[in-house]
Amino acid sequence: DVKVTQSSRYLVKRTGEKVFLECVQDMDHENMFWYRQDPGLGLRLIYFSYDVKMKEKGDIPEGYSVSREKKERFSLILESASTNQTSMYLCASIRDRGYNEQFFGPGTRLTVL
Amino acid sequence: RKEVEQDPGPFNVPEGATVAFNCTYSNSASQSFFWYRQDCRKEPKLLMSVYSSGNEDGRFTAQLNRASQYISLLIRDSKLSDSATYLCVVNIGGATNKLIFGTGTLLAVQP
C-alpha cells in the first residue's frame, strides 16, 4: 500500500510566522505535489516536483516555496503566513509521468490567526 | 470559465436510487479522465478512471464524450456509504502529469 504522510493534521499559526509543512511518501515516487483545498474553489496546485531538487510552480505559488532534498520528502514553506493562507493543504505523489493515480496524504488543516 | 466544471449539489437521494453526475472540461487536448471520491474531512482517493468506451465497476459506470468534452458518473442502487463528494479530474497531459480538479459534487444518500 502506498503511504503518504503529512507532519500535522491540524496547525495553528500567527500572521507573519514561518510555517513548514512536511510530506513523506514511502513508495519511491518521482512526482510530488502540494495543493490547497478551499470551499467552492476545489483543489488548486501550489507547487510540484518531478525529481529531487527540481520544482515547478503550479497555479497559485505566490506566498509559498518548496524544498525537495530527498526523493521521499517534499516540504511546503510559508515564508510569512497570512490569514488568507488558512486552508486545507494536501500533499500527493505519483509514481512517474506514465501513471495517473495520485495518492494523497491525509491533509493538514492550517489556521493562521 | 473553469477548466473543469461540476454541479456542486448537494444531491440528496434515497437508498437504492440511481444518481448521475456530470462534468465538463474546457481543454480539448486533455488526455485522461478520472473520478475521485472524497469523504468528509478525508483526502481524495481514486474511484475510477474514465475511458472513451465507457467503463463499469460494480454499481459505478463512467462515460466520456470527447466531442462534447463531457464526463459522467452513474451510481446504481445507492448505499448510505456512497455519501461523499465526487471530484471530476482531468489530466491535461504534457510533461508533468498535472491534474485539474473540479470542485466536486456532494452526494448524500438517505435512509
Side-chain angles (χ1 to χ4, degrees):
Chain A
D1 249 8
V2 175
K3 197 155 186 191
V4 181
T5 56
Q6 294 183 227
S7 48
S8 307
R9 290 301 303 272
Y10 299 94
L11 210 51
V12 180
K13 295 292 182 180
R14 296 201 176 275
T15 301
E17 281 193 78
K18 191 168 185 174
V19 182
F20 291 87
L21 303 181
E22 302 252 306
C23 174
V24 178
Q25 49 89 8
D26 66 358
M27 287 300 290
D28 204 34
H29 284 183
E30 289 187 0
N31 293 17
M32 297 185 74
F33 304 80
W34 274 107
Y35 297 89
R36 63 178 282 177
Q37 186 174 29
D38 301 286
L41 296 176
L43 276 84
R44 293 180 291 166
L45 182 63
I46 305 171
Y47 266 97
F48 60 97
S49 167
Y50 50 84
D51 204 349
V52 176
K53 296 194 187 294
M54 305 296 284
K55 59 186 179 185
E56 294 281 342
K57 291 180 180 179
D59 300 316
I60 50 163
E62 296 78 19
Y64 303 94
S65 61
V66 290
S67 171
R68 188 137 181 234
E69 295 296 317
K70 293 186 177 180
K71 192 174 187 179
E72 67 270 19
R73 188 179 297 269
F74 191 34
S75 302
L76 180 69
I77 303 151
L78 286 66
E79 295 289 342
S80 177
S82 62
T83 54
N84 63 11
Q85 292 179 310
T86 292
S87 186
M88 169 67 87
Y89 290 87
L90 289 156
C91 173
S93 74
I94 194 167
R95 182 173 167 177
D96 61 39
R97 297 174 207 182
Y99 287 77
N100 289 299
E101 181 177 0
Q102 285 197 1
F103 294 89
F104 284 85
T108 296
R109 184 164 293 281
L110 172 67
T111 302
V112 183
L113 301 174
Chain B
R1 184 186 170 190
K2 287 183 182 174
E3 291 186 83
V4 178
E5 294 209 58
Q6 296 181 250
D7 180 344
F11 283 58
N12 296 301
V13 303
E15 271 186 291
T18 295
V19 61
F21 307 137
N22 300 321
C23 167
T24 57
Y25 60 95
S26 60
N27 188 335
S28 59
S30 299
Q31 298 195 354
S32 47
F33 310 88
F34 312 91
W35 286 99
Y36 275 67
R37 171 190 168 131
Q38 186 172 22
D39 293 307
C40 188
R41 301 187 189 282
K42 299 279 191 177
E43 70 274 21
K45 291 185 179 178
L46 179 67
L47 177 67
M48 58 197 302
S49 301
V50 188
Y51 303 115
S52 297
S53 53
N55 48 300
E56 192 173 305
D57 183 2
R59 297 180 293 108
F60 298 83
T61 301
Q63 296 270 353
L64 166 65
N65 184 323
R66 283 190 184 270
S68 302
Q69 294 180 205
Y70 170 98
I71 304 157
S72 66
L73 178 68
L74 183 79
I75 305 175
R76 290 181 298 280
D77 189 23
S78 300
K79 312 288 185 194
L80 294 175
S81 57
D82 294 334
S83 297
T85 296
Y86 290 83
L87 305 173
C88 176
V89 184
V90 173
N91 186 330
I92 60 171
T96 55
N97 244 4
K98 184 178 169 183
L99 297 183
I100 308 296
F101 288 79
T103 53
T105 298
L106 178 62
L107 171 65
V109 181
Q110 294 165 355

